[in-house]
Amino acid sequence: TELDTERSAIVTAKGTGEGLVLRIDGRVESDSLKDALRDFLASRRSFLAGNDVALEWVGEKPTQSFVDDLA
């Protein structure tokens, strides 16, 4: 669906020789970003487990309350 496509563009992953890099578009509205992150992580939990993961954040850095809400 169009919503799934929009969400998938918010969080993307690429493999490197040192592990995975998650690129997160912090320019979107916080609720959409939270939903996209939850969807991405839930559907790829086994893929991410045991791998080194780095974050590449685009736009404004998350607030501590945003990070706390994700936990």
Side-chain angles (χ1 to χ4, degrees):
T1 67
E2 185 175 325
L3 181 58
D4 290 338
T5 301
E6 289 175 13
R7 282 189 184 168
S8 66
I10 296 171
V11 182
T12 57
K14 67 178 178 180
T16 69
E18 299 175 0
L20 297 169
V21 177
L22 294 186
R23 183 179 183 277
I24 302 168
D25 189 344
R27 299 171 293 186
V28 300
E29 191 268 326
S30 67
D31 286 339
S32 295
L33 181 54
K34 287 176 192 176
D35 289 343
L37 276 167
R38 287 185 180 118
D39 290 350
F40 183 91
L41 295 173
S43 66
R44 293 165 179 86
R45 190 170 305 278
S46 62
F47 176 70
L48 296 170
N51 288 301
D52 289 332
V53 178
L55 299 179
E56 177 183 319
W57 196 276
V58 177
E60 188 174 326
K61 300 285 188 235
T63 62
Q64 187 60 48
S65 64
F66 178 88
V67 173
D68 292 343
D69 284 349
L70 288 175

